Amino acid sequence: MGRLKTGTPPRIDLKSIDTEGLSMQWQDDSPEPFSFLSLNNTPLKDKLPTKSASLPTPITHTTPETHQIVKQNLFHSAEFGGLKDYALARGPRYCPSIEAKVVRFPTRSAHQIWLEREGFSSNVVYPNGISTSLPKHVQLEILHSIPGLRNAVMLQPGYAVEYDYVDPRQLCPTLELIDVQVCFLCFASTVAGGFAT
């Protein structure tokens, strides 16, 4: 068994974001799927939005004020506040929390944040780049210290999770453990991705 951790940022109401002065990132003129298996999949290519039908992604950044708020509240953080097990667990991929960025890169005055809508018809925005385990009231302070988010309405606070996993190489195709015969696992315990909930 192994142990992994991951976290998410708070979710924001799109209507509460002020995009004036923020740069916009548009999708590529000709979007390409991540998988080479998709290249010959005509139905998938037809479903990809054209640039004119896509939504731009506003880009903002943290500020020295943001970093000060984080530093003053590190004792609340699962990663830096004394939860030894959480601090020892590895993330499935490198997506550091805002706490980790502030601690590991003390000379940086800003970290980029992409304000990603969760869907074409959704008003929920995922501020990619500020995953956190800090308390709700601190998350709101952080949001309000960021350009474009001074009046942001938080729909859901971010959170951190830690979970056990079984290396899939230790399983038979039937999900029976190789080393413990007649012990079968359910699918969720074998997921090693970052967002197994």
Side-chain angles (χ1 to χ4, degrees):
M1 297 224 11
R3 196 127 181 100
L4 293 173
K5 65 180 176 182
T6 192
T8 68
R11 301 312 198 278
I12 305 169
D13 187 340
L14 174 68
K15 297 173 191 166
S16 67
I17 297 172
D18 179 8
T19 58
E20 180 136 356
L22 301 183
S23 60
M24 296 291 172
Q25 181 174 333
W26 290 87
Q27 75 177 32
D28 295 337
D29 288 329
S30 178
E32 291 292 328
F34 284 110
S35 171
F36 292 115
L37 299 174
S38 301
L39 293 179
N40 296 322
N41 186 343
T42 306
L44 175 63
K45 280 193 158 187
D46 293 341
K47 291 178 184 174
L48 291 172
T50 62
K51 185 171 184 175
S52 61
S54 71
L55 299 170
T57 300
I59 299 174
T60 187
H61 53 83
T62 59
T63 64
E65 180 188 358
T66 309
H67 298 184
Q68 191 59 36
I69 294 166
V70 170
K71 287 176 191 172
Q72 290 171 344
N73 288 281
L74 280 174
F75 68 96
H76 288 301
S77 168
E79 193 169 2
F80 295 97
L83 294 178
K84 186 173 72 171
D85 289 343
Y86 188 84
L88 295 176
R90 292 186 353 230
R93 56 194 179 113
Y94 186 69
C95 295
S97 65
I98 188 60
E99 298 98 303
K101 290 177 183 179
V102 168
V103 168
R104 292 182 192 149
F105 306 105
T107 60
R108 297 245 355 224
S109 60
H111 295 280
Q112 191 162 287
I113 303 165
W114 293 265
L115 301 176
E116 302 171 350
R117 283 178 72 165
E118 291 197 349
F120 281 105
S121 60
S122 175
N123 284 331
V124 179
V125 174
Y126 182 100
N128 192 345
I130 55 169
S131 295
T132 184
S133 64
L134 291 169
K136 183 178 177 178
H137 72 279
V138 177
Q139 292 183 39
L140 198 55
E141 275 186 74
I142 288 170
L143 290 175
H144 291 168
S145 71
I146 295 169
L149 304 181
R150 305 275 184 210
N151 298 308
V153 173
M154 183 167 53
L155 300 175
Q156 175 186 330
Y159 57 90
V161 294
E162 184 179 7
Y163 54 96
D164 295 320
Y165 74 96
V166 174
D167 186 328
R169 296 170 295 184
Q170 299 302 313
L171 297 173
C172 298
T174 60
L175 299 183
E176 180 181 19
L177 282 170
I178 291 172
D179 294 335
V180 184
Q181 293 180 345
V182 194
C183 181
F184 295 84
L185 300 180
C186 66
F187 178 74
S189 66
T190 66
V191 175
F195 298 96
T197 55

